[in-house]
Amino acid sequence: MTSTADVSTATAGAGAGPLWLARVRLGAGGPLARVRVADGRITGIWAEEDAGRQLASGEPVFDLAGRTVLPGLWDAHVHLGEWAAARTRLDVSGLDSARAVAEAVRERAQEALDDGVLTGFGFRDGLWPDAPHKDVLDAVVPHVPVALVSQDLHTAWLNSACLALIGRVGHPSGLLREHECLEALAALPEAPVETVDRRIEEACRAAAARGVTGIIDFQYGDTVTEWARRSAAGPLPVRVDAAVYPSYLDAAIERGLRTGSPVDEGAGVVRVGPLKLFTDGSLNTRTALCRDPYPGLGDTPEAHGIQETGTEELVALMRRAAAHGIEPAVHAIGDHANTVALDAFEAVRCRGRIEHAQLLSAADLPRFAALGVTAGVQPRHATDDRDIADRHWAGRTDRAFAYGDLLAAGARLEFGSDAPVSPLDPWLGIASAVGRTGDERPAWHPEQRVPLAAALAASARGRRLVRVGDPADLVVTDVDPREADLTTLRAMPVFATMLGGRWTHGPA
C-alpha cells in the first residue's frame, strides 16, 4: 500500500474527474484497498480502513465488492481491420478438409453477400488430406466470387469467378501465397469507410469487454492516418499504437513521426507504432525460413521456406527508420529468419521488436536481451499450431514457441493475439502461456510454461502492479487470476475496464 505522501508525486494527465474505487483487491488474498483516480491517473491507494479520512466531500465512490483490480491489458499484435472483418465472415477455422470447406461455402452462398463477394476466414490446410484448389470451390459455387483467407493471413484461396474479378484469369490453382495473396486481397472490392469504422468500433468495444486497454495495430495501410481520423470522431475504447509499413516510411519521416509520438491532437490515445518488416512467411504455409528443410520437400532452397526481405535491404530499412526515431518490428518465424532479424538488429544497434519468434536456435536466445529486442509473441499460436509444428518441425519443437527459455535468458516478452489469426482475447493467450494446452490434452512442451505473474505482465506491457502515478488503465475481474484454473482463466469474467479514468466496459 502507498501512503498519502505518494499522492504528491502523481503527475496529472488528461482524463475523467475524480473517482474512488472502494473495496478492491490488488493481489491474491490481500487486504481490501481503496484507489483514487483523477485526471486519468491513479492518485492514491490506501488500505480500506484508512481511506475514510482521505475521502474528499462530493467525490463519487464505486464499490467493487472485493473484486480484483489489475493493470489494463494490451494486445501487442493485432491486424484490427482484418479482425473486424473476420468477425463478419464465414468461419471455416474448424474444418478439416478442402471438401468440408467447400460444403460450408455452398451453404453460405444462399445468403446475401457484402460487396457481392463471399468471404471466409480461418482455413488451415497444413494437415488436410486434400488440397485447396479453385476447382473444388467452382464445383459448388461456380458464379459467385469466393475469397477465403487462411488462419495465418499468408494464403488466399479463390474460385474462378473471384480470380476473374481481380484480373487473375488463368491462375493455375486459385491458391495464392505471401505477396501474391496480399495483392489479391487488396484488389477485392472495399467496404465503405463508414462500414469499416463501424466494424472496428464494435471490435474495439468487444476487446475492452475482455480487459483490453491498448493494442499495437499492424493492419496494412496508412494506419497512422486512419487512427488519427477515428480518434477525431470521438473517444476510442482502447489506446492504439499504429504501425508504419515500408511504403509509407518516407511520408512518415517527412511528417516527423516517431515511434511513441501522439498523433491525435492532444488526446494521447493514438501514437505512432513501429515499422513493420518481414523476413519470412509462416509455418502453416511452409514458408517460414528454417535451417532444416520441411519434410517431404527434398533439400532444395525452396524447401527451407522463403526470405521475404533480403538482408541488405532489411538492414538499410531498419537503419533509415531508426535514424528518424521509428523503431523496427521484424516478422520472423523460422529459426533462420530469427537469426537474420537478430543479425540486422546487431548491425543497426537500435531498439525494436521481433514479432512471433516461433522457432529459435539455442544460440539466439540470449541475443534478445543482449540487444534489447522485445519478443512480441502470441502464446495461443503454440497451442493452436502444436500438431502442425509436430509434423513440419519434427524433432525441433523443443525450441518452438520457447517462451520459458526466452524468459530464462532475460528477454522482454509482450503478448498479443495476431488477431484474426487467434481471437483478440488476452485471457486465451495468458492461459496458453501458463498451461501450454488449449484443449483437454496434456501440456505441449511444459518446460516452456510461463509463470502466471510473468504472463500477466507480458499482457500489460510489463506493468505488474497498480501504482500511484500510473495511468488509470485498469481491468476489474470477478475472479482473482491467481486463484483460477485454466478453464476459468480462458473465460475470465471481466467486470469492468477503465481507460484513462473513464469506463470503457462495465459501469457507466
Side-chain angles (χ1 to χ4, degrees):
M1 296 300 170
T2 64
S3 70
T4 55
D6 293 316
V7 178
S8 63
T9 67
T11 57
L19 172 69
W20 288 75
L21 306 179
R23 290 205 298 156
V24 304
R25 294 197 185 277
L26 303 181
L32 292 175
R34 185 168 294 205
V35 177
R36 185 178 184 269
V37 172
D39 297 321
R41 292 189 175 271
I42 299 166
T43 59
I45 302 174
W46 293 271
E48 182 69 27
E49 62 270 19
D50 296 332
R53 62 178 177 269
Q54 308 298 335
L55 181 60
S57 176
E59 292 186 348
V61 178
F62 195 89
D63 187 347
L64 289 174
R67 292 181 174 90
T68 298
V69 175
L70 301 166
L73 304 179
W74 273 70
D75 191 313
H77 194 120
V78 179
H79 304 268
L80 198 62
E82 289 289 339
W83 168 240
R87 285 160 46 90
T88 70
R89 293 173 176 169
L90 172 66
D91 181 4
V92 297
S93 59
L95 303 180
D96 58 4
S97 69
R99 289 191 176 277
V101 170
E103 186 55 37
V105 167
R106 182 207 302 271
E107 295 176 6
R108 182 63 173 264
Q110 310 305 315
E111 304 175 13
L113 304 175
D114 291 340
D115 305 315
V117 179
L118 192 163
T119 56
F121 176 78
F123 74 87
R124 304 164 67 91
D125 62 320
L127 298 174
W128 283 359
D130 52 357
H133 194 280
K134 64 181 181 180
D135 293 347
V136 178
L137 297 176
D138 289 348
V140 295
V141 185
H143 305 300
V144 175
V146 177
L148 307 176
V149 183
S150 66
Q151 187 81 33
D152 60 11
L153 302 177
H154 285 249
T155 305
W157 177 16
L158 278 56
N159 70 348
S160 294
C162 196
L163 289 167
L165 179 66
I166 64 170
R168 298 290 186 101
V169 175
H171 191 279
S173 67
L175 202 66
L176 300 91
R177 301 191 188 275
E178 303 303 340
H179 286 301
E180 196 178 25
C181 165
L182 293 176
E183 292 170 356
L185 296 177
L188 291 173
E190 294 183 358
V193 171
E194 296 80 6
T195 299
V196 173
D197 283 356
R198 174 179 53 78
R199 290 173 177 171
I200 285 176
E201 169 76 9
E202 292 169 354
C204 286
R205 295 210 173 276
R210 299 304 295 142
V212 174
T213 57
I215 65 168
I216 303 179
D217 187 10
F218 286 99
Q219 182 69 28
Y220 179 75
D222 189 359
T223 316
V224 173
T225 299
E226 290 293 310
W227 276 109
R229 175 180 54 77
R230 292 177 190 130
S231 179
L236 297 174
V238 296
R239 301 187 189 276
V240 179
D241 285 3
V244 177
Y245 277 80
S247 54
Y248 296 91
L249 178 59
D250 288 344
I253 291 172
E254 289 175 8
R255 292 170 60 186
L257 301 182
R258 302 173 66 88
T259 297
S261 60
V263 292
D264 52 355
E265 298 183 357
V269 175
V270 178
R271 304 184 307 177
V272 179
L275 172 71
K276 180 65 180 294
L277 299 167
F278 289 84
T279 60
D280 66 345
S282 72
L283 166 59
N284 187 65
T285 56
R286 279 80 73 202
T287 52
L289 186 63
C290 299
R291 285 189 168 81
D292 300 310
Y294 289 91
L297 298 181
D299 199 10
T300 64
E302 294 77 13
H304 292 257
I306 63 172
Q307 184 166 349
E308 285 272 8
T309 306
T311 301
E312 290 186 5
E313 182 184 2
L314 180 68
V315 170
L317 283 166
M318 290 173 62
R319 184 168 284 133
R320 175 163 168 72
H324 293 276
I326 300 176
E327 298 175 6
V330 183
H331 166 115
I333 288 183
D335 52 0
H336 190 184
N338 276 280
T339 298
V340 167
L342 288 165
D343 287 349
F345 274 108
E346 188 167 1
V348 177
R349 291 290 174 177
C350 67
R351 290 166 51 93
R353 310 167 56 85
I354 288 180
E355 301 299 322
H356 310 307
Q358 288 187 359
L359 186 67
L360 298 172
S361 300
D364 281 338
L365 287 166
R367 299 180 73 195
F368 284 83
L371 295 170
V373 175
T374 296
V377 299
Q378 300 77 41
R380 180 71 184 266
H381 292 359
T383 53
D384 286 347
D385 288 350
R386 59 188 289 179
D387 296 323
I388 293 174
D390 279 339
R391 173 177 294 188
H392 297 299
W393 287 344
R396 292 172 276 171
T397 54
D398 59 313
R399 48 191 177 89
F401 310 96
Y403 309 140
D405 286 347
L406 280 167
L407 273 179
R412 175 186 172 91
L413 300 187
E414 289 190 7
F415 287 175
S417 64
D418 204 10
V421 180
S422 61
L424 205 174
D425 185 340
W427 298 104
L428 297 175
I430 291 167
S432 292
V434 171
R436 294 289 290 197
T437 184
D439 48 37
E440 300 305 315
R441 291 182 290 178
W444 185 66
H445 289 288
E447 71 277 8
Q448 299 296 349
R449 285 179 171 135
V450 174
L452 177 61
L456 289 170
S459 298
R461 283 200 144 178
R463 288 180 66 191
R464 290 176 177 265
L465 302 172
V466 176
R467 303 179 305 181
V468 169
D470 283 350
D473 294 358
L474 304 169
V475 55
V476 183
T477 61
D478 287 326
V479 177
D480 188 323
R482 287 153 286 200
E483 298 174 354
D485 58 21
L486 286 180
T487 299
T488 304
L489 203 56
R490 292 185 194 106
M492 176 58 65
V494 174
F495 176 76
T497 307
M498 176 177 282
L499 178 70
R502 60 183 171 90
W503 298 113
T504 54
H505 168 67

